[in-house]
Amino acid sequence: KPDWQNRLSGRYYQAIGSYLTLDEFAQFNVGNRNLQYKTRIYHNYSRNDYRFVNKHIVEKDPVTGELVHPIMKNDHAQYRKYGVTQELYYRPAAGFIVEGQCWFQDAARSIPTVLSSELNDTYRQRQNKQSDQTVKAVAGVKHYRDKMNWDIHSGIDYQRLDYLMTTVVNGFETRKPVNSGSRMVSWYNRVKYLYDINDRLSFRLRGSFDRYAISTLDSANQTGYQVNRFEGAVFGGAYFSPLEKLQLSAQLRKDWVAGYQTPLIYTIGFNVKPSLSRDLVVKGNLARNFHHPTLNDLYWQPGGNPDLLPEEGYTGEISVLYRKRAGAFG
């Protein structure tokens, strides 16, 4: 949240730890009552080469002949990460806020061999490396009034992940059992409207439109998939309190998902206080449900099922809540 009283501020942190672990963070803020700007930069690195007793391996002591667990070093587990965030907030008039945020991060890490591996030279025999890049950006407008507020936001999410495993065979031949990568670009759009007519009656409206583009490929075994999908939804809700001890609610939702016929979803509910003098509440609701398969459900390898059908059903619930505030002790 922006601090509209800020004029100029900043901070810087640095930490140094064992195993050559370094952490740095810097922040710079500048602005006035109508405009605020923030920049954050961070960096993390660690060689992460601590020693440990590996209880997953048993060796014979060459001197005593006893079976012992070897003391090993956590080789090739180093990691590093850096990123930057930018934020801009503009308040052209009372009740209006125009904002934008962006986040970039780059990370790389080595994944050590499993503890039960008995390879004598982990570095020469096998290496696992993973790199990630992330870019997230969102822009929006918000408007607030006494009984009504609305906001519109649109955002992009880009993620890239590459994983590589290399092994050395016969001491000199390098092979790549795994060489996989994935790319994901998501576009999110949100609209929200809230209106309170009075203390007893209020309405909520929400809408969304999203697009997903995902591709994966393992060039070592030639597996992967590429898929695009659109999803949209409209939601409306009404909340009414005809009596001081009775609250009623009704909600409707309609989804649009590429490749699926989605029904109209509804929920109706109530909250009742049998007695205003007691902290006893009776709640109940009835709803129709629909859940479409996610992209991971359909295409994750291994295990995804492209023929998976959506789930439909009805649910009902009644519950009782009792709260009692105890007096002071002592």
Side-chain angles (χ1 to χ4, degrees), residues 28 38 68 77 88 142 161 261 281 283 314:
F28 174 76
K38 298 182 179 181
V68 298
L88 181 65
K142 298 179 181 180
L161 185 148
Q261 296 292 331
V281 181
K283 301 181 179 182
Y314 297 88

CSV table of all heavy atoms in Angstrom, one decimal, residues 28 38 68 77 88 142 161 261 281 283 314:
chain,number,residue,atom,x,y,z
A,28,PHE,N,14.2,2.2,-2.4
A,28,PHE,CA,14.2,3.6,-2.6
A,28,PHE,C,12.7,4.0,-2.9
A,28,PHE,O,12.1,3.5,-3.7
A,28,PHE,CB,15.1,4.0,-3.8
A,28,PHE,CG,15.0,5.5,-4.1
A,28,PHE,CD1,15.6,6.4,-3.3
A,28,PHE,CD2,14.3,5.9,-5.2
A,28,PHE,CE1,15.6,7.7,-3.6
A,28,PHE,CE2,14.2,7.2,-5.5
A,28,PHE,CZ,14.9,8.2,-4.7
A,38,LYS,N,8.3,3.5,-6.0
A,38,LYS,CA,9.1,2.6,-5.2
A,38,LYS,C,9.9,1.7,-6.1
A,38,LYS,O,9.5,1.2,-7.1
A,38,LYS,CB,8.2,1.7,-4.3
A,38,LYS,CG,7.3,2.4,-3.3
A,38,LYS,CD,6.6,1.4,-2.5
A,38,LYS,CE,5.7,2.1,-1.4
A,38,LYS,NZ,5.0,1.1,-0.6
A,68,VAL,N,30.2,-47.8,9.2
A,68,VAL,CA,29.9,-46.4,9.7
A,68,VAL,C,29.2,-45.7,8.6
A,68,VAL,O,29.2,-46.1,7.4
A,68,VAL,CB,31.3,-45.7,10.0
A,68,VAL,CG1,32.0,-46.4,11.1
A,68,VAL,CG2,32.2,-45.7,8.8
A,77,ALA,N,25.2,-27.7,-4.5
A,77,ALA,CA,23.9,-27.3,-4.0
A,77,ALA,C,23.9,-25.8,-3.9
A,77,ALA,O,23.0,-25.2,-3.3
A,77,ALA,CB,23.6,-27.9,-2.6
A,88,LEU,N,4.4,2.1,-9.0
A,88,LEU,CA,4.0,3.5,-9.3
A,88,LEU,C,2.5,3.7,-8.9
A,88,LEU,O,1.7,2.9,-9.4
A,88,LEU,CB,4.2,3.9,-10.7
A,88,LEU,CG,3.9,5.3,-11.1
A,88,LEU,CD1,4.8,6.3,-10.4
A,88,LEU,CD2,4.0,5.5,-12.6
A,142,LYS,N,-8.5,2.2,-9.4
A,142,LYS,CA,-9.5,2.0,-8.3
A,142,LYS,C,-10.2,3.2,-8.1
A,142,LYS,O,-9.7,4.3,-8.2
A,142,LYS,CB,-8.7,1.5,-7.0
A,142,LYS,CG,-8.0,0.2,-7.1
A,142,LYS,CD,-7.2,0.0,-5.8
A,142,LYS,CE,-6.5,-1.3,-5.8
A,142,LYS,NZ,-5.8,-1.6,-4.6
A,161,LEU,N,11.2,-22.0,-17.1
A,161,LEU,CA,12.0,-22.9,-16.3
A,161,LEU,C,12.7,-23.9,-17.2
A,161,LEU,O,12.1,-24.5,-18.1
A,161,LEU,CB,11.0,-23.7,-15.3
A,161,LEU,CG,11.7,-24.6,-14.3
A,161,LEU,CD1,10.8,-24.6,-13.0
A,161,LEU,CD2,11.8,-26.0,-14.8
A,261,GLN,N,-18.9,-27.1,-21.6
A,261,GLN,CA,-20.2,-26.5,-21.5
A,261,GLN,C,-20.4,-26.3,-20.0
A,261,GLN,O,-20.5,-27.3,-19.2
A,261,GLN,CB,-21.3,-27.3,-22.1
A,261,GLN,CG,-21.2,-27.5,-23.6
A,261,GLN,CD,-21.5,-26.1,-24.3
A,261,GLN,OE1,-22.2,-25.3,-23.8
A,261,GLN,NE2,-20.8,-26.0,-25.5
A,281,VAL,N,-25.2,-18.6,16.6
A,281,VAL,CA,-25.5,-18.3,15.2
A,281,VAL,C,-25.8,-19.6,14.5
A,281,VAL,O,-25.0,-20.6,14.7
A,281,VAL,CB,-24.4,-17.5,14.5
A,281,VAL,CG1,-24.8,-17.3,13.0
A,281,VAL,CG2,-24.1,-16.2,15.2
A,283,LYS,N,-26.1,-21.3,10.7
A,283,LYS,CA,-25.8,-21.0,9.4
A,283,LYS,C,-26.3,-22.1,8.5
A,283,LYS,O,-26.2,-23.3,8.9
A,283,LYS,CB,-24.3,-20.8,9.2
A,283,LYS,CG,-23.7,-19.6,10.0
A,283,LYS,CD,-22.3,-19.5,9.8
A,283,LYS,CE,-21.7,-18.4,10.6
A,283,LYS,NZ,-20.2,-18.2,10.3
A,314,TYR,N,-24.0,-31.0,-6.1
A,314,TYR,CA,-24.8,-30.2,-5.3
A,314,TYR,C,-24.3,-30.4,-3.8
A,314,TYR,O,-24.0,-31.5,-3.4
A,314,TYR,CB,-26.3,-30.5,-5.4
A,314,TYR,CG,-26.8,-30.2,-6.8
A,314,TYR,CD1,-26.8,-31.2,-7.7
A,314,TYR,CD2,-27.4,-29.0,-7.1
A,314,TYR,CE1,-27.3,-31.0,-9.0
A,314,TYR,CE2,-27.9,-28.8,-8.4
A,314,TYR,CZ,-27.9,-29.8,-9.3
A,314,TYR,OH,-28.4,-29.6,-10.6
